[in-house]
Amino acid sequence: MQHGKYRFIVGFLVFPLALYALFVVWPFIQSIYYSFTDWTGLSPDFTMVGFDNYTRMLDDDTFWSSLQHSLTFALLLPVVVLGLALFFAFMLNVGGRGRKGAAISGVRGSSFYKIVYFFPQVLSIAIVALLFQFAYNPNSGAINSALSAVGLDSVKPEWLGDPKLALWCVMAVLVWSTTGFFVVLFSAGMASIPKDFYEAALLDGASRFTTFFRITLPLLWDTVQSGWVYMGILALGAESFAVVQIMTVGPGGPADSTNVLTLLVYQKAFRDGQAAYATTIGVALLLVTLAFAAVVMRLGRRERLEF
């Protein structure tokens, strides 16, 4: 009987594992291999160059600035996005009290707020980037027009044209476009927490602050940890690439102030015809992503709470 069970498990897994190896693992292996060559991406011919690409990468100032920007996204975006999402989800689910005979409920109008927060998820990230590009326009954009309307004509920044502001403008767009997803994720987790816990805390005189940190956050910690890793991967990967590619001048400007590793990989591979060097940067990005996930999982490790 046991033998038949193992044969069933192996037979069930062999096909999806083969697909995973073919479309996920094998491209990683190919990228690592090509990083030791001088392949241009335009010709099938190449030669092995050893660690030359890695030496070049370590001496590349653009790589280090792009790495700094990517790490800024990975470290700050999860804090801001998850913090906002936890606050909004808590208020939408258990932040209101004493309405319609329910001891625990969301704030008034929570159903409408859920739609508002989730709305950015309906839009493509490319559309979001284009909309905010128009909004940031220093001459006719919505933001500077609003400043003029309230009498702040002297305070009209260049936004995406200012090297000191451009990166933060991009980060604001990423916060706006991703927070809604985590509001929904955390709301689903909070809905599974028994209301009895909150009602018992209320009887003991607990405040919203206390119930959040003593009940909600500990019971939701596994979801928060997974969201932290996922948000970090988004910040290091496709989301940051799309916004920077569409919104910024260059793209990656001004003066490389918004360049990120994913955009640098794209530029080297498709603009400069340096596919081998691009894969080298891709390998570095892979290592950074794995290190980020490992650190978050290690620092966030705690005893599992069940209810």
Side-chain angles (χ1 to χ4, degrees):
M1 190 70 178
Q2 292 291 328
H3 181 65
K5 181 181 72 173
Y6 292 131
R7 287 177 56 189
F8 171 78
I9 294 174
V10 172
F12 186 79
L13 291 178
V14 64
F15 182 68
L17 287 178
L19 289 178
Y20 183 82
L22 178 62
F23 293 107
V24 179
V25 178
W26 180 242
F28 281 133
I29 296 174
Q30 283 184 308
S31 297
I32 296 172
Y33 172 75
Y34 284 125
S35 69
F36 294 101
T37 70
D38 62 355
W39 184 45
T40 64
L42 305 175
S43 169
D45 301 324
F46 59 85
T47 57
M48 300 297 295
V49 295
F51 288 93
D52 288 356
N53 287 324
Y54 290 93
T55 302
R56 174 188 172 187
M57 181 181 69
L58 296 177
D59 293 332
D60 189 348
D61 292 336
T62 304
F63 165 77
W64 288 110
S65 64
S66 300
L67 175 61
Q68 179 183 354
H69 300 152
S70 292
L71 290 178
T72 300
F73 282 172
L75 295 176
L76 293 184
L77 276 175
V79 175
V80 177
V81 170
L82 298 187
L84 288 174
L86 282 169
F87 172 76
F88 291 144
F90 182 77
M91 298 306 294
L92 292 177
N93 290 275
V94 296
R97 293 177 180 173
R99 295 189 298 105
K100 298 180 180 179
I104 300 297
S105 63
V107 297
R108 190 177 303 275
S110 57
S111 299
F112 171 74
Y113 293 140
K114 289 178 182 178
I115 297 174
V116 172
Y117 295 145
F118 188 73
F119 175 73
Q121 298 300 307
V122 179
L123 302 175
S124 165
I125 188 63
I127 296 175
V128 171
L130 283 173
L131 290 174
F132 273 91
Q133 185 184 43
F134 293 136
Y136 281 131
N137 188 298
N139 298 317
S140 59
I143 299 177
N144 280 356
S145 297
L147 292 175
S148 298
V150 297
L152 296 176
D153 294 279
S154 60
V155 185
K156 296 175 69 173
E158 291 291 330
W159 300 116
L160 295 174
D162 188 341
K164 296 180 180 179
L165 293 178
L167 188 68
W168 304 107
C169 293
V170 171
M171 190 176 299
V173 175
L174 291 172
V175 170
W176 187 85
S177 65
T178 55
T179 299
F181 170 81
F182 292 97
V183 171
V184 174
L185 178 66
F186 295 149
S187 294
M190 291 179 190
S192 66
I193 299 176
K195 294 290 193 263
D196 296 344
F197 292 0
Y198 294 106
E199 292 173 355
L202 284 178
L203 292 175
D204 290 337
S207 63
R208 285 188 178 93
F209 183 87
T210 302
T211 54
F212 175 78
F213 284 99
R214 296 288 185 176
I215 298 176
T216 305
L217 189 58
L219 294 178
L220 205 64
W221 186 252
D222 288 344
T223 305
V224 173
Q225 187 181 44
S226 300
W228 197 288
V229 174
Y230 180 63
M231 187 61 226
I233 293 174
L234 287 181
L236 289 168
E239 294 287 310
S240 60
F241 166 78
V243 175
V244 173
Q245 168 74 10
I246 294 171
M247 289 181 58
T248 61
V249 295
D256 283 332
S257 61
T258 59
N259 212 344
V260 291
L261 288 180
T262 45
L263 179 61
L264 187 60
V265 170
Y266 174 83
Q267 291 172 336
K268 294 301 179 182
F270 299 103
R271 185 192 66 185
D272 302 336
Q274 302 173 11
Y277 186 51
T279 59
T280 304
I281 301 172
V283 172
L285 178 60
L286 171 64
L287 296 177
V288 170
T289 305
L290 292 177
F292 173 84
V295 169
V296 171
M297 297 300 291
R298 180 66 182 86
L299 295 179
R301 183 183 303 172
R302 58 188 297 174
E303 184 179 352
R304 183 180 178 85
L305 298 178
E306 297 182 357
F307 52 90

